[in-house]
Amino acid sequence: MKANRIYNFNAGPAALPLSVLEEIKDSFINFNGSGMSIIEVSHRSKWFDKVINDAVERTKRLLKLDENYHVLFIQGGASMQFCMIPMNFLHDGKSADYVDTGTWSTKAIKEARIQSKQITIAASSEDKGFSYIPQNVKFSNNAVYAHITSNNTIKGTQWRTFPDANGVPLMADMSSDIMSRPLDTEQFGLIYAGAQKNIGPAGVCMVIIRDDMLNMVPDGLPSMLKYTTYASKNSMYNTPPCFAIYTVQLVMKWLEETIGGLEKMEEINLKKAKILYNILDTSGFYKGTAEPDSRSIMNVTFRLPNEELEKRFIQEALENGLGGLKGHRSVGGCRASIYNPTSLEAVEALTDFMKNFEQKNG
Ligand SMILES: *Cc1c(COP(=O)(O)O)cnc(C)c1O
């Protein structure tokens, strides 16, 4: 632990690399020789232009996106995308497919229905409390798009491989696992991610959109709610969330230059997850809640023998410098979010604590 910081297992907003926080601190008063803070420079200045362009270029390099993809920065969080996607792409009685894998998918479905858009639930894992990812999902041939949530932050499940959408553009909420692994982007028409889980602070959502999707956006929508506005103005039709974008840029730089790309990142993430799941699998005390073949490498969810022990576990962990282990309020239990910036060292400190706690209370 450095600078009195705890090991942070929060689900979001979540841990950021210490080197990124230090760089922000160093440049906060005088950004890049401008004589101004990054939160004081104009978004129309050469300084900010460099920041946003570098964030976009690094994102494209990391994900190996070809020139058909645009990287946009939109406010309103991932939740705004739940509404923008059907608004921009579902017209004239056309229909889209959704896979329901828990809270966030369910919310995406709700936002399409509020707008009276026609959607089909292609698959759902509700029958077992959303503890797994449906297999062999078939999408309708005439669906305009197929929506999935790549990582289910609350239930701790993740699509380890993506379904074959058979030509239907996939739209994925990757809020809690974007940049955690290499991605074969070809099938995806749109990818979005609220930055505050894995790539930055709250206040901005990264949207990656394929060129052909932009042609489907009708003219009649409000400017701030259509993708074409952001794509044609490099996300600067109005004032963008400059500080959040700056932080995302630094995280992308960290991924490229310190970690060495997404293959390396995935290797580290798999290692961290394996250590934790190994504890769950070998203990009679802790019990994982996700089905083994659907487990997330980002959010590890588990229960203890009773709620009283869970409460004590979370409390004692914090006293030992391990924070954010409480499960989402909708499901209870415990959850360790081990996003990209969470180090192997942090995970080892957690497993040491878990073994100790089991010995004392098991
Ligand atoms: C946190 C989260 C959201 C909600 O994000 P906001 O930016 O708060 O709107 C949506 N989807 C997933 C998968 C999430 O983890």
Side-chain angles (χ1 to χ4, degrees):
M1 268 179 285
K2 291 183 199 121
N4 288 327
R5 287 166 54 77
I6 62 168
Y7 292 122
N8 180 354
F9 298 94
N10 275 332
L16 285 167
L18 183 59
S19 61
V20 165
L21 299 178
E22 276 166 349
E23 191 165 347
I24 291 170
K25 185 176 156 202
D26 290 345
S27 64
F28 199 67
I29 302 293
N30 185 349
F31 177 68
N32 240 349
S34 66
M36 296 172 273
S37 169
I38 181 66
I39 62 167
E40 297 175 309
V41 299
S42 166
H43 60 293
R44 308 285 178 206
S45 66
K46 64 177 183 191
W47 293 287
F48 190 71
D49 253 343
K50 237 176 125 177
V51 167
I52 195 165
N53 290 336
D54 191 58
V56 168
E57 279 159 28
R58 287 184 187 278
T59 299
K60 288 184 171 172
R61 275 203 301 271
L62 281 160
L63 290 171
K64 301 191 166 63
L65 296 171
D66 65 35
E67 67 272 30
N68 294 329
Y69 286 91
H70 303 261
V71 178
L72 313 178
F73 296 101
I74 301 181
Q75 298 192 56
S79 301
M80 176 80 110
Q81 297 306 305
F82 297 163
C83 103
M84 277 179 74
I85 288 173
M87 186 180 280
N88 279 258
F89 305 121
L90 278 188
H91 315 289
D92 313 321
K94 286 187 187 142
S95 176
D97 283 3
Y98 278 73
V99 180
D100 194 358
T101 49
T103 312
W104 299 116
S105 315
T106 311
K107 287 196 170 171
I109 290 164
K110 177 182 158 203
E111 293 299 315
R113 288 197 168 135
I114 284 175
Q115 300 175 66
S116 302
K117 302 291 187 184
Q118 207 172 309
I119 60 164
T120 302
I121 308 302
S124 166
S125 53
E126 194 176 6
D127 59 339
K128 289 185 188 161
F130 298 115
S131 60
Y132 69 101
I133 298 291
Q135 295 300 306
N136 305 316
V137 181
K138 295 267 180 296
F139 297 114
S140 336
N141 288 330
N142 58 352
V144 175
Y145 62 82
H147 182 279
I148 61 170
T149 310
S150 63
N151 183 71
N152 299 282
T153 325
I154 294 174
K155 291 290 183 174
T157 63
Q158 183 178 34
W159 294 83
R160 298 296 307 144
T161 54
F162 292 106
D164 181 358
N166 204 12
V168 175
L170 269 183
M171 308 240 161
D173 177 357
M174 295 197 185
S175 292
S176 49
D177 70 349
I178 193 163
M179 303 287 176
S180 67
R181 52 181 168 172
L183 200 60
D184 185 1
T185 48
E186 212 176 312
Q187 284 201 89
F188 293 93
L190 190 150
I191 292 166
Y192 61 100
Q196 72 275 16
K197 308 279 163 63
N198 215 9
I199 55 169
V204 72
C205 185
M206 178 184 275
V207 176
I208 296 164
I209 185 167
R210 209 170 58 199
D211 227 17
D212 57 312
M213 303 307 302
L214 291 170
N215 300 331
M216 295 161 64
V217 177
D219 290 333
L221 297 180
S223 307
M224 291 302 288
L225 293 174
K226 56 183 187 188
Y227 292 111
T228 42
T229 301
Y230 296 87
S232 64
K233 300 286 185 194
N234 197 22
S235 303
M236 293 190 284
Y237 170 75
N238 72 330
T239 319
C242 300
F243 179 72
I245 294 170
Y246 168 58
T247 308
V248 170
Q249 181 229 342
L250 294 181
V251 172
M252 296 305 129
K253 188 169 113 186
W254 172 80
L255 277 169
E256 280 200 298
E257 295 176 7
T258 305
I259 298 297
L262 298 187
E263 283 82 7
K264 287 272 171 51
M265 193 70 255
E266 183 180 40
E267 222 175 275
I268 298 168
N269 286 332
L270 285 169
K271 203 164 165 185
K272 291 183 305 191
K274 195 170 165 201
I275 294 174
L276 276 176
Y277 285 119
N278 192 38
I279 290 245
L280 303 184
D281 288 341
T282 54
S283 136
F285 185 72
Y286 302 104
K287 194 168 181 306
T289 63
E291 307 249 327
D293 62 354
S294 301
R295 283 170 167 174
S296 166
I297 62 165
M298 296 274 96
N299 309 96
V300 178
T301 51
F302 56 96
R303 307 289 318 221
L304 274 64
N306 61 57
E307 286 183 15
E308 185 51 45
L309 277 173
E310 284 169 349
K311 224 170 127 183
R312 192 153 10 118
F313 174 84
I314 292 157
Q315 180 58 35
E316 277 185 31
L318 188 59
E319 284 160 14
N320 284 274
L322 304 156
L325 292 163
K326 195 167 191 276
H328 191 266
R329 56 192 146 66
S330 65
V331 294
C334 301
R335 169 176 56 178
S337 296
I338 47 171
Y339 299 124
N340 289 346
T342 303
S343 63
L344 197 57
E345 180 191 271
V347 171
E348 281 163 353
L350 173 58
T351 51
D352 285 348
F353 172 78
M354 287 172 78
K355 284 178 196 160
N356 236 315
F357 190 87
E358 177 175 358
Q359 246 171 27
K360 278 193 300 184
N361 300 280

